[in-house]
Amino acid sequence: MATLATTSFQSAAPPQAVLAAVHRVIAEQRYAPGPVSPDGSQVLFRTRKSVLSWELDVQVTVVPTPGGSQVDVALDTAPGRPKALLDGRKNRKSAQRIADEISAAIG
């Protein structure tokens, strides 16, 4: 059962603005913050458990591009949580939802 889900999008905003938006999303959605890479380009966090989903471990990577930033979102079911047959599809939707939250927070 593949449960890792990824999605990407381009933003015209510089990496610093995108990373600030990621941190706003974490705070506003009350996600559990995790470690940040030394250069700040990679942010880890965990979503909250819901009625339909276990916690998800999320990794957001922001890479500078000539036109702004490339934003990569990868997530998977948190370790130690049971995996289900439909997790792959559900996680793809969750990855896109988080990418949309970040994109909206960028403005």
Side-chain angles (χ1 to χ4, degrees), residues 21-79:
V22 171
H23 290 287
R24 273 195 310 278
V25 167
I26 292 169
E28 289 170 2
Q29 297 297 326
R30 297 189 336 254
Y31 297 146
V36 177
S37 66
D39 67 353
S41 67
Q42 189 176 74
V43 179
L44 302 173
F45 61 92
R46 181 171 283 178
T47 65
R48 293 177 290 134
K49 184 169 85 169
S50 72
V51 174
L52 300 174
S53 178
W54 290 107
E55 299 96 333
L56 301 171
D57 282 343
V58 183
Q59 174 182 311
V60 178
T61 305
V62 180
V63 179
T65 63
S69 303
Q70 165 81 25
V71 183
D72 300 314
V73 178
L75 64 79
D76 202 350
T77 305

Side-chain angles (χ1 to χ4, degrees), residues 82-105:
K83 298 191 189 265
L85 184 61
L86 297 177
D87 279 354
R89 185 170 71 179
K90 183 174 53 76
N91 288 356
R92 283 190 297 278
K93 287 182 181 181
S94 294
Q96 187 59 53
R97 179 181 47 79
I98 290 172
D100 293 343
E101 289 172 354
I102 294 168
S103 182

